[in-house]
Amino acid sequence: KKRALDSLVLLELAYQRASAQGLNADPARIQIALENYKEQFDGEKGFTDYLTRHGMTEVDLLSEIERSLTINIIYSLEVVQTTAVPEEDLKKEYEKDKKLFIQPEKVSIIDVYLIKDDAKASKKKAKELLKKLKADPAQDPWKLVLDGTFMVRSLTVRKEKDKELYDAAKKLKPQGLSGVVETPQSVHIIKLTEYSPERQLPFDEAKPKIEEKLKGPYVDKKTKEWEEGLKKDAKIELLLDAAEQQAEKKPEPGQAVQK
């Protein structure tokens, strides 16, 4: 009970601070949150029944959502965004295992893909398509008119998974067009759209990822300091409702009252 009351007190103090600073949740975000909330119920009736069981109206729920989002804003501004991991801790983590911060090789292509039902016919069709592509100043595979014998797709190829396409792509310059490429099951024409080699990320590029990994304990510490700051100059008065006051004055037979 004490933990629950402490939590409610902190939420109220946070909301008051946000309000004093003129912070308000975006109405569009409030509406989106409401729609997302409704999705967990079985239609409008299920949602209405839920509100009835909890003695709430949709306006009450909107108010709670607005309050929650506003508290999230002040928490993000004053805790999450102001928490920093010491630079020496970040560098230590980077040096500990650099191989975790390697950017893999990337080979991206546009692939004109023909299934090899009949190898001879598929190769002939591929040569016809290649001729059309070479006649196009842009050599754009997406301009080919589909006729049911081939498809065009964007693809990131892997050396282990797509060996023939990978090998063909590596021979091309960016925006370069291949000849007819055969695999055991298919025939292709490819255009290289992007190539970037594997490389070790320097510390400055790896830093955001490391900080995200290590930030948790520092956010927890900053949160406790922030909560103490909220309570420091606050006047806190807990008002028990009439039923709870009556219960403390006159306990039920056989029950003890906790003080």
Side-chain angles (χ1 to χ4, degrees):
K1 180 177 178 180
K2 183 181 184 304
R3 286 196 299 270
L5 285 173
D6 284 345
S7 178
L8 289 172
V9 166
L10 288 168
L11 290 172
E12 177 59 29
L13 291 173
Y15 185 69
Q16 288 181 15
R17 176 176 287 191
S19 298
Q21 294 182 19
L23 298 175
N24 296 292
D26 181 359
R29 289 193 63 194
I30 295 173
Q31 193 60 41
I32 291 171
L34 176 63
E35 295 304 319
N36 291 339
Y37 195 83
K38 284 182 176 182
E39 286 181 2
Q40 65 183 296
F41 301 100
D42 185 17
E44 192 67 31
K45 185 178 185 305
F47 175 63
T48 302
D49 291 344
Y50 168 82
L51 293 178
T52 301
R53 287 196 306 272
H54 289 80
M56 299 174 68
T57 66
E58 188 167 317
V59 173
D60 295 330
L61 181 57
L62 278 170
S63 178
E64 287 300 313
I65 292 172
E66 183 276 332
R67 178 184 173 88
S68 177
L69 292 177
T70 300
I71 291 170
N72 286 345
I73 292 172
I74 190 72
Y75 178 75
S76 178
L77 287 173
E78 297 193 349
V79 177
V80 179
Q81 295 181 29
T82 61
T83 300
V85 181
E87 191 84 355
E88 58 269 25
D89 290 358
L90 296 172
K91 288 182 177 178
K92 184 178 178 181
E93 183 69 17
Y94 175 75
E95 294 295 338
K96 185 172 73 176
D97 204 347
K98 282 188 175 183
K99 69 176 181 290
L100 295 177
F101 309 107
I102 292 177
Q103 179 177 285
E105 179 184 50
K106 184 177 182 181
V107 183
S108 298
I109 64 171
I110 301 173
D111 178 29
V112 180
Y113 170 83
L114 299 89
I115 297 176
K116 196 190 287 184
D117 290 331
D118 180 330
K120 189 174 180 180
S122 297
K123 286 178 68 175
K124 181 181 178 182
K125 178 66 177 181
K127 289 177 180 179
E128 292 173 0
L129 293 172
L130 181 59
K131 186 176 180 181
K132 289 181 180 179
L133 283 171
K134 287 182 174 180
D136 174 17
Q139 296 188 343
D140 185 357
W142 295 109
K143 291 182 180 179
L144 294 172
V145 179
L146 299 178
D147 59 8
T149 64
F150 69 96
M151 62 180 291
V152 181
R153 59 182 180 170
S154 293
L155 185 67
T156 299
V157 294
R158 310 286 181 188
K159 184 176 182 178
E160 301 79 11
K161 184 181 177 183
D162 315 289
K163 186 179 185 311
E164 294 86 357
L165 299 183
Y166 174 86
D167 289 343
K170 287 275 288 186
K171 296 174 183 176
L172 300 173
K173 294 180 179 180
Q175 306 307 314
L177 194 67
S178 75
V180 175
V181 180
E182 286 192 71
T183 73
Q185 293 82 30
S186 51
V187 179
H188 305 257
I189 303 165
I190 65 172
K191 182 173 184 176
L192 180 65
T193 55
E194 180 185 355
Y195 175 74
S196 56
E198 178 181 283
R199 68 185 183 95
Q200 174 69 54
L201 292 179
F203 171 72
D204 286 345
E205 290 185 38
K207 182 177 175 179
K209 184 177 179 180
I210 303 170
E211 190 163 23
E212 190 64 31
K213 176 184 175 182
L214 300 183
K215 201 171 183 178
Y218 294 93
V219 171
D220 291 343
K221 182 175 182 292
K222 186 67 177 285
T223 298
K224 290 177 182 178
E225 294 171 354
W226 182 67
E227 291 174 348
E228 290 304 314
L230 287 174
K231 292 188 288 186
K232 183 178 178 182
D233 299 318
K235 180 181 178 182
I236 301 170
E237 184 179 359
L238 300 177
L239 302 176
L240 301 177
D241 61 37
E244 190 169 355
Q245 291 179 26
Q246 185 64 27
E248 288 198 346
K249 290 178 183 177
K250 187 178 179 182
E252 291 293 324
Q255 293 183 339
V257 177
Q258 266 193 329
K259 296 291 186 182

